[in-house]
């Protein structure tokens, strides 16, 4: 049972993940607009995505050493400030700088710092809140990133359809209000230490010598790769499989994947007390392997699309489940562990799509072949889960004694 005062903390964290969805999802919707309005080549604009990812990786590494010294409240509020300023500057700097691309780049750097910090601090803040089943809350927390992604894409599309894409700056400023308000909210919510007083806090060096930590690092790297290998290519997959135009594919593909991923996280967040986390993650691993095989090998468009939806559902529990399981297993890991796990997950998010893209190109642009090779990620995850020591060997998927 969660203390009433900490419900505000959980709410702030939920909104924090929606903010991260805004900074990761909204700006790519404007890439074509930047191309036409400022005359910036699309090849140059795609560098913005790379900068966003690289910065988040750097922040993951820095956070392992700095967040405990600075404090969660300061980090969370500063993250929201960077996200707000980055979005606001997006409407100002491109036209004020000699080169509009430099203005875009500065804006992206600002909000990427905010997004990276949010990823590192929000999950451990939730983990520190008093609750009987933290894995349920963690799953629900991560579902808000999914719903945020779907909501940002849908609401932005509705705005562009009704008001016109030329008014994109109004919508950008409207989205900037969310991190501003939540950053202020974070100044007043109660926070609790992740590592209790008297409990040994593991240093980065000790963590890197911990065998259990490396098991979770492999799990979250594969989780990130399983997810991003498909989500980054979702729009292309939908366009090629269904033969629909790009504008619609850019919306349907990622939205479908995010929605099914969000549904699985909500299901565990709601019924997690009846489900065994290890069993769910193992089951999800098998589902993910099956979904990859369907997408890669079944030539029927509707079935392939169903495979993509199944993949979104299967990866939902992997990332938050790894966080919760690691926190319960590696005592004293604290923020350093969460930051290093975030780094591992983000490396997977970079590696998964890279494997699919590189091998697709090697086989004449055949996306299905790239997906088939990326099957290595869900297979490794499933094998690790099979080898993972079980606390309750009699339980597979359901906690029978709690299912009353």
């Amino acid at each position: 049972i969660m203390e009433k005062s900490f419900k505000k903390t959980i709410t702030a964290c939920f909104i924090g993940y929606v903010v991260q969805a805004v900074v990761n999802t909204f700006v790519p919707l404007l890439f074509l607009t930047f191309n036409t309005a400022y005359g910036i080549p699309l090849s140059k604009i795609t560098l913005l995505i790379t900068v966003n990812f690289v910065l988040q990786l750097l922040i993951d590494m820095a956070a392992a050493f700095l967040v405990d010294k600075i404090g969660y409240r300061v980090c969370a509020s500063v993250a929201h400030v960077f996200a707000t300023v980055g979005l606001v500057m997006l409407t100002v700097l491109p036209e004020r700088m000699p080169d509009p691309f430099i203005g875009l780049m500065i804006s992206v750097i600002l909000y990427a710092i905010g997004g990276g910090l949010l990823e590192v601090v929000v999950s451990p803040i939730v983990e520190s809140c008093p609750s009987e089943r933290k894995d349920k809350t963690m799953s629900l927390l991560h579902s808000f990133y999914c719903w945020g992604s779907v909501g940002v894409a849908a609401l932005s599309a509705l705005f562009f359809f009704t008001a016109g894409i030329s008014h994109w700056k109004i919508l950008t400023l409207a989205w900037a209000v969310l991190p501003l308000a939540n950053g202020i909210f974070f100044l007043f919510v109660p926070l609790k230490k992740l590592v209790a007083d008297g409990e040994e806090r593991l240093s980065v060096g000790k963590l890197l010598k911990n065998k259990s930590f490396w098991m979770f690092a492999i799990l979250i790297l594969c989780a990130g790769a399983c997810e991003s290998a498909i989500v980054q290519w979702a729009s292309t997959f939908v366009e090629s499989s269904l033969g629909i135009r790009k504008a619609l594919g850019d919306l349907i593909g990622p939205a479908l994947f995010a929605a099914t991923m969000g549904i699985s996280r909500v299901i565990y967040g709601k019924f997690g007390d009846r489900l065994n986390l290890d069993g769910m993650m193992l089951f999800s691993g098998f589902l993910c392997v099956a979904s990859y095989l369907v997408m890669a090998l079944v030539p029927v468009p509707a079935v392939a699309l169903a495979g993509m939806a199944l993949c979104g559902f299967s990866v939902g529990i992997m990332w938050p489940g790894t966080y919760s399981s690691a926190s319960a297993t590696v005592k004293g890991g604290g923020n350093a562990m969460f930051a290093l796990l975030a780094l591992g997950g983000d490396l997977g998010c970079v590696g998964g799509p890279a494997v699919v893209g590189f091998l697709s190109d090697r086989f004449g642009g055949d996306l299905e072949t790239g997906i088939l090779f990326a099957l290595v990620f869900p297979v490794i995850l499933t094998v690790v889960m099979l080898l993972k020591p079980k606390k309750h060997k009699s339980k597979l998927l359901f906690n029978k004694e709690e299912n009353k």
Side-chain angles (χ1 to χ4, degrees):
I1 299 169
M2 188 177 299
E3 291 179 24
K4 190 175 180 180
S5 59
F6 282 94
K7 288 186 177 180
K8 292 179 180 178
T9 309
I10 297 294
T11 300
C13 290
F14 285 174
I15 299 171
Y17 257 22
V18 175
V19 170
Q20 197 189 9
V22 170
V23 300
N24 285 341
T25 308
F26 176 62
V27 177
L29 299 176
L30 298 172
F31 281 173
L32 202 58
T33 304
F34 296 153
N35 169 243
T36 53
Y38 302 124
I40 304 170
L42 284 175
S43 58
K44 207 173 178 182
I45 286 174
T46 53
L47 280 174
L48 300 176
I49 297 176
T50 307
V51 168
N52 190 356
F53 265 116
V54 170
L55 259 177
Q56 294 203 26
L57 289 172
L58 292 173
I59 288 166
D60 291 343
M61 285 190 281
F65 301 94
L66 298 177
V67 170
D68 282 326
K69 295 177 181 177
I70 299 171
Y72 284 106
R73 192 184 307 279
V74 172
C75 286
S77 296
V78 165
H80 284 85
V81 169
F82 271 105
T84 304
V85 173
L87 288 169
V88 171
M89 288 299 102
L90 204 64
T91 67
V92 177
L93 287 182
E95 291 168 6
R96 299 288 178 90
M97 302 290 287
D99 183 353
F101 180 71
I102 300 299
L104 289 179
M105 183 65 77
I106 293 170
S107 304
V108 168
I109 287 171
L110 289 169
Y111 75 64
I113 291 171
L117 262 177
L118 281 172
E119 183 181 17
V120 170
V121 301
V122 168
S123 290
I125 288 174
V126 166
E127 187 66 31
S128 70
C129 291
S131 174
E132 286 184 0
R133 286 300 301 265
K134 295 183 180 183
D135 52 340
K136 288 175 57 178
T137 311
M138 187 70 74
S139 183
L140 203 56
L141 167 73
H142 284 253
S143 77
F144 272 78
Y145 181 82
C146 304
W147 303 127
S149 300
V150 174
V152 169
L155 291 173
S156 298
L158 181 64
F159 178 88
F160 294 148
F161 180 76
T162 54
I165 193 77
S166 59
H167 294 99
W168 66 269
K169 289 183 180 180
I170 296 172
L171 183 59
T172 306
L173 293 173
W175 283 124
V177 172
L178 186 65
L180 176 64
N182 203 45
I184 295 169
F185 188 28
F186 251 112
L187 293 173
F188 302 100
V189 299
L191 297 181
K192 197 175 176 71
K193 291 181 179 179
L194 185 59
V195 179
D197 291 330
E199 185 179 349
E200 183 191 4
R201 186 189 302 274
L202 296 182
S203 65
V204 172
K206 286 184 178 179
L207 271 173
L208 295 178
K209 293 175 184 176
N210 187 301
K211 291 180 181 178
S212 293
F213 166 76
W214 281 106
M215 175 186 65
F216 291 115
I218 292 169
L219 278 175
I220 205 161
L221 187 146
C222 290
C226 289
E227 179 183 324
S228 286
I230 304 304
V231 77
Q232 292 293 325
W233 292 98
S235 57
T236 306
F237 184 77
V238 168
E239 290 154 27
S240 61
S241 294
L242 301 182
I244 63 174
R245 58 194 177 89
K246 177 170 172 53
L248 199 56
D250 285 345
L251 185 61
I252 290 176
L256 177 64
F257 191 93
T260 53
M261 185 162 64
I263 288 168
S264 72
R265 288 173 173 175
V266 169
I267 288 173
Y268 191 84
K270 184 73 175 172
F271 303 106
D273 53 341
R274 304 180 186 181
L275 299 167
N276 177 257
L277 180 58
D278 282 352
M280 274 296 295
M281 289 182 67
L282 179 59
F283 176 67
S284 295
F286 282 118
L287 269 188
C288 193
V289 169
S291 69
Y292 267 62
L293 289 172
V294 168
M295 286 184 286
L297 301 176
V298 179
V300 181
V303 177
L305 190 65
M308 192 184 79
L310 179 65
C311 184
F313 185 86
S314 70
V315 300
I317 191 61
M318 293 177 180
W319 193 301
T322 302
Y323 272 163
S324 291
S325 191
S327 184
T329 305
V330 184
K331 297 300 181 183
N335 177 74
M337 182 179 70
F338 275 89
L340 290 174
L341 288 177
L343 174 62
D346 284 342
L347 286 172
C349 288
V350 174
V355 167
V356 172
F358 176 75
L359 290 166
S360 295
D361 285 342
R362 296 283 290 180
F363 287 87
D366 185 7
L367 190 59
E368 285 77 8
T369 302
I371 291 171
L372 189 60
F373 276 102
L375 184 67
V376 65
F377 296 115
V379 167
I380 291 173
L381 183 142
T382 306
V383 170
V384 172
M385 285 307 304
L386 282 169
L387 297 175
K388 183 178 183 287
K390 304 292 188 295
K391 288 183 179 179
H392 306 289
K393 292 189 177 181
S394 61
K395 298 174 187 175
L396 291 176
L397 193 57
F398 297 100
N399 292 332
K400 292 181 180 179
E401 74 277 7
E402 294 181 29
N403 189 9
K404 297 175 182 178

